[in-house]
Amino acid sequence: MSPDPEPRPHTGRRRNPAVRQAILDHAADLLIANDYAAVPIDAIAKAAGVSKHTIYRWWPSKGAVLLEAMAERARQQTPGLDTGVFADDLETFLAATFATAEKVSGLLRGIMAEAQRDPVAAEGLRRFVSGRRDELRALLARGVEQGDLPSDTDLDLLVDQLLGLMWYRLLIGHAPMNAEVAIRLARTLTGRKDG
């Protein structure tokens, strides 16, 4: 019986985490500076110093890379949000979330429309929203633990209410959706006065 063959060495190129992060950073910068439609894959590739092929090997569409870039930027803007002061943390989280959504409103509307007909876009949007929901839910749970929210608070319903305002204004466009609105929203929940 012959011995097992040696494992075949990997000949393809492995994903480089630094290159992936560069793509996401440049995509987020381009997205914030431009509208969704004005950020072609060519521009992301050029800014990151990679080929379009590299981007399409890692993400299935422009929407997918931009959505992940936006999720990554949102996480970077609200890192380690646990100061021990629930009202401050809630205002910071919602203000950063609303401000980012305002800057990339074209992407969010575009992805929402794409998600109605494309299962890949729908799954990407679901993952993005789920991540933001989980972060907000954890923050609200700390509010319950610290006694800033009633112990019987329905956290999932409260998450829907807080993020629902953002999505409603984003999709309908009848009123502003920015950090100032987010802070006012947070203060309706915490009872904190303006000032």
Side-chain angles (χ1 to χ4, degrees):
M1 183 173 194
S2 62
D4 290 332
E6 291 283 323
R8 184 171 171 239
H10 179 75
T11 56
R13 293 182 64 183
R14 295 183 186 269
R15 290 186 183 186
N16 180 331
V19 171
R20 177 187 171 281
Q21 192 59 53
I23 292 168
L24 293 174
D25 288 343
H26 287 294
D29 291 342
L30 288 167
L31 188 56
I32 287 168
N34 302 281
D35 186 34
Y36 171 67
V39 182
I41 287 289
D42 287 337
I44 299 169
K46 183 177 179 183
V50 300
S51 69
K52 284 192 329 184
H53 177 72
T54 297
I55 294 174
Y56 281 124
R57 191 168 5 132
W58 295 354
W59 291 277
S61 66
K62 176 178 92 165
V65 69
L66 291 176
L67 198 55
E68 187 171 338
M70 189 181 66
E72 180 75 17
R73 185 59 56 91
R75 279 190 293 276
Q76 290 170 0
Q77 290 180 348
T78 54
L81 201 58
D82 188 3
T83 66
V85 180
F86 172 68
D88 289 347
D89 291 346
L90 182 63
E91 286 182 22
T92 300
F93 179 91
L94 290 178
T97 300
F98 277 45
T100 301
E102 180 185 34
K103 289 176 185 170
V104 296
S105 58
L107 168 67
L108 291 174
R109 281 191 294 271
I111 291 292
M112 181 68 80
E114 243 178 89
Q116 305 312 304
R117 59 184 176 275
D118 177 3
V120 173
E123 182 54 32
L125 182 62
R126 203 170 5 263
R127 277 196 315 270
F128 169 72
V129 170
S130 178
R132 298 307 287 164
R133 285 182 58 82
D134 290 348
E135 289 180 54
L136 180 55
R137 191 180 195 290
L139 194 161
L140 295 171
R142 286 197 304 274
V144 170
E145 290 165 12
Q146 295 169 3
D148 294 304
L149 293 175
S151 60
D152 62 347
T153 298
D154 183 334
L155 295 178
D156 291 316
L157 182 61
L158 191 51
V159 168
D160 285 343
Q161 291 172 324
L162 294 171
L163 293 181
L165 173 71
M166 182 194 77
W167 283 100
Y168 182 76
R169 288 188 175 199
L170 174 82
L171 294 172
I172 303 301
H174 74 289
M177 176 194 60
N178 52 34
E180 181 185 332
V181 169
I183 290 170
R184 288 193 349 249
L185 175 63
R187 290 178 179 183
T188 64
L189 178 65
T190 62
R192 183 183 268 186
K193 301 293 181 201
D194 292 342

